[in-house]
Amino acid sequence: MSDVSSRGLCPVAHGPSTGLNGAPVASENHSITQGQQGSVALHDFHLIEKLAHFNRERVPERVVHAKGSGAFGELHTTEDVSAYTCAALFQPGVTTPMLVRFSTVAGEQGSPDSWRDVRGFACKFYTTEGNYDIVGNNTPVFFIRDGIKFPDFIHSQKRLPHTGLRDANMQWDFWTRSPETAHQVTYLMGDRGIPKTFRHMDGFGSHTYQWINEAGERFWVKYHFKTRQGWEYYSDEEAAAITGANADSSRSDLWDAIERGDFPIWDVYVQIMPFDEAETYRWNPFDLTKTWSHKDYPLVKVGYFELNRNPENFFAQIEQAAFAPSNLVRGIGFSPDKMLIARGFAYADAHRYRIGANHEQIPVNQPVCPVNSYAHDGAMTYQFRGAEPVYSPNGFGREAGFNDSGNTVTVGTAGDMGLWDTHGNDFTRGAYVQHPEDDDFIQAGQLVRDVLDDAARERLAGNIARAMSGVNSEIEARVYEYWTNVDPWLGGRVRELFTAAK
């Protein structure tokens, strides 16, 4: 298999420097002037090229997940899950090269790694049947369940338009008016809100996906990536100290660990739900604000992945890495998860804006298998076809889709997205179907009462109270109601701590 981490790396340069056309240049240090102290000449084309390229060195940063870092490695599938999926990367004994990008969510590129924030956990698997991307976080749920609310949610976590400052009123206003956020905000305000390093946190696919086996049988799955390094996290006070000492603490930790040979490893598990059980499960299994109980659907081991190679060039291989949930492969499909379907459009479209319509031709994003696409032309086209037709159908022997032959195909594929027979035929606009125990606060309350111990509950209350700093009295009252709905003790304790700190 190709060494994906070195694709695009230029050979070591020798001899005088050149322009971008390859011709040698006379000087990198002195521009041409009219006499020794006269005007700079416009016909010093190397000066113009050098400055013009410098002005264009940056591409637009990601609106979310702008600050991040990553590394290359391999996924090792050690178990046999072929009864559930025919995806090539999940067959027993298969090793698949991969790239992982870790990130914060709300901050800009220059923001510190140690702010309280959800951490992104995006995986690109270079499989023999195409690239497969899992774009997840370090929590198993998310703040909202419908993609139409995503721009509003992100706007509430960013900066005020008039001051350019972040504002506690804005984020708590959105959270308390959107009770579906309770489960994720409980995770965010708890210990997982500030992982000490990217190596010391779990990852999750978060969404519900579909697996399809060779017989065409379908299953619902959720991905879990369990760190072998153990969980480590910062308190608010520790995070404030490390922010001042090293704003790139997680980025430098990942780089340094791999450089010294301390390769981080995550074990890969899935929860598997039989297809028909989705209709009657106690919570809607496609709701991104909900988890599936491990008692109902235990973790099934798939294998592990190890990150063992740092990027050769951060911009080329991490900043230009393009992850999109729409990058699916045979044997894996979507679910009716509204957020997942919305992200299927939004992520790929963000890359088309940031780095161009041909971003898949950038070496770090190229599949390791052949590509036979009718897409052509556009800015930065550097993989092209000659005399072949660029349209379909055609009479020159270039093929169309595998279903265009008229054959019946029973195995779900990227093209089909696995979306047939999924809970309804008519278009509708409305909320999820409510299952017997669906409630926005119930799982957040279970997390507080049944998972956290007394010390963690106290830390959670303190983190919430400190995060409320700056809220007005009206939003303050709504925050107390919000957390009382999660758990009466927690709501009361937050009130005590915040009132005492006034």
Side-chain angles (χ1 to χ4, degrees):
M1 183 122 359
S2 302
D3 186 356
V4 296
S5 66
S6 295
R7 290 187 298 183
L9 180 64
C10 296
V12 177
H14 297 285
S17 61
T18 74
L20 294 179
N21 68 337
V25 298
S27 177
E28 300 284 2
N29 299 287
H30 303 288
S31 54
I32 298 173
T33 59
Q34 187 176 22
Q36 284 191 305
Q37 299 190 73
S39 299
V40 174
L42 184 62
H43 66 261
D44 188 344
F45 297 119
H46 183 59
L47 167 68
I48 302 303
E49 178 183 89
K50 196 170 181 179
L51 293 179
H53 192 280
F54 176 78
N55 287 343
R56 294 162 175 80
E57 281 183 2
R58 296 293 174 264
V59 298
E61 69 174 39
R62 293 167 170 87
V63 178
V64 288
H65 299 278
K67 174 71 181 295
S69 57
F72 294 91
E74 294 88 29
L75 167 70
H76 301 269
T77 300
T78 59
E79 312 303 316
D80 188 353
V81 291
S82 59
Y84 306 105
T85 179
C86 60
L89 76 163
F90 294 133
Q91 300 312 299
V94 171
T95 298
T96 303
M98 65 180 296
L99 169 67
V100 176
R101 183 179 185 267
F102 306 101
S103 57
T104 51
V105 174
E108 301 85 2
Q109 279 195 3
S111 60
D113 289 345
S114 46
W115 276 353
R116 182 173 295 280
D117 198 358
V118 176
R119 300 305 193 267
F121 201 115
C123 304
K124 182 180 291 293
F125 301 97
Y126 302 93
T127 90
T128 55
E129 295 185 333
N131 287 353
Y132 177 43
D133 294 350
I134 300 176
V135 185
N137 290 316
N138 71 323
T139 58
V141 294
F142 196 61
F143 296 90
I144 54 176
R145 59 171 70 98
D146 193 319
I148 199 170
K149 299 178 72 171
F150 189 75
D152 304 293
F153 161 63
I154 293 299
H155 290 165
S156 76
Q157 310 302 297
K158 289 286 190 175
R159 297 177 181 272
L160 288 169
H162 59 301
T163 65
L165 300 174
R166 297 184 73 177
D167 181 70
N169 280 310
M170 191 160 58
Q171 66 178 13
W172 284 106
D173 189 30
F174 181 88
W175 287 342
T176 56
R177 293 179 188 276
S178 306
E180 69 204 74
T181 62
H183 199 186
Q184 174 71 302
V185 178
T186 305
Y187 275 114
L188 176 62
M189 292 297 156
D191 294 337
R192 295 197 211 193
I194 318 179
K196 187 171 288 187
T197 80
F198 294 137
R199 296 182 299 123
H200 294 90
M201 67 181 192
D202 289 347
F204 300 87
S206 302
H207 297 283
T208 298
Y209 290 87
Q210 190 174 164
W211 272 8
I212 309 98
N213 65 18
E214 286 287 4
E217 298 170 316
R218 302 186 297 276
F219 306 85
W220 305 115
V221 299
K222 282 184 176 289
Y223 294 102
H224 298 252
F225 310 124
K226 299 292 187 180
T227 177
R228 287 192 190 176
Q229 291 70 240
W231 284 9
E232 294 185 15
Y233 53 86
Y234 287 128
S235 66
D236 281 343
E237 296 76 16
E238 291 169 331
I242 195 65
T243 295
N246 181 6
D248 299 320
S249 56
S250 293
R251 179 181 291 182
S252 58
D253 172 84
L254 179 65
W255 177 277
D256 293 343
I258 292 175
E259 286 298 291
R260 67 174 179 264
D262 182 11
F263 303 141
I265 295 175
W266 284 261
D267 289 306
V268 178
Y269 296 88
V270 289
Q271 288 178 283
I272 301 174
M273 177 185 291
F275 190 82
D276 293 336
E277 291 185 16
E279 293 282 4
T280 56
Y281 189 52
R282 49 183 172 154
W283 297 300
N284 191 310
F286 311 118
D287 182 347
L288 185 56
T289 70
K290 299 290 197 300
T291 59
W292 301 353
S293 168
H294 286 209
K295 295 178 182 177
D296 297 335
Y297 301 102
L299 295 179
V300 176
K301 183 72 177 291
V302 175
Y304 69 94
F305 64 78
E306 176 185 82
L307 301 183
N308 51 29
R309 186 157 184 177
N310 280 316
E312 303 276 358
N313 181 281
F314 183 88
F315 179 84
Q317 298 180 297
I318 303 302
E319 186 61 23
Q320 290 194 132
F323 301 86
S326 53
N327 286 335
L328 297 172
V329 292
R330 190 177 77 99
I332 300 173
F334 273 9
S335 75
D337 181 336
K338 294 182 181 181
M339 274 293 295
L340 176 58
I341 295 169
R343 293 175 84 200
F345 160 74
Y347 275 60
D349 192 57
H351 304 315
R352 286 188 284 267
Y353 161 70
R354 282 196 338 112
I355 48 180
N358 289 309
H359 63 269
E360 299 285 6
Q361 295 183 19
I362 296 172
V364 72
N365 298 321
Q366 290 177 13
V368 297
C369 63
V371 174
N372 184 19
S373 169
Y374 284 98
H376 76 119
D377 293 350
M380 302 301 291
T381 295
Y382 64 94
Q383 290 179 334
F384 57 89
R385 299 186 180 277
E388 296 176 277
V390 293
Y391 57 89
S392 175
N394 64 79
F396 298 92
R398 191 172 177 201
E399 296 180 24
F402 63 82
N403 260 352
D404 290 331
S405 64
N407 297 328
T408 299
V409 179
T410 58
V411 175
T413 66
D416 293 315
M417 304 257 183
L419 277 174
W420 60 90
D421 296 335
T422 52
H423 312 285
N425 300 310
D426 297 328
F427 286 108
T428 186
R429 186 191 297 276
Y432 273 114
V433 173
Q434 293 289 294
H435 285 223
E437 297 182 46
D438 270 329
D439 172 85
D440 287 321
F441 297 105
I442 186 170
Q443 288 198 353
Q446 290 172 342
L447 176 59
V448 171
R449 291 184 295 273
D450 302 337
V451 178
L452 304 183
D453 58 25
D454 289 343
R457 280 190 285 270
E458 187 64 27
R459 291 194 297 272
L460 172 64
N463 294 336
I464 294 168
R466 285 187 292 275
M468 291 170 60
S469 177
V471 300
N472 62 39
S473 58
E474 190 268 334
I475 291 177
E476 178 187 345
R478 277 216 315 277
V479 173
Y480 297 148
E481 179 185 6
Y482 180 87
W483 289 112
T484 299
N485 286 333
V486 171
D487 180 82
W489 172 88
L490 182 58
R493 185 60 177 146
V494 169
R495 181 189 295 270
E496 290 174 5
L497 291 172
F498 187 71
T499 303
K502 281 186 176 181

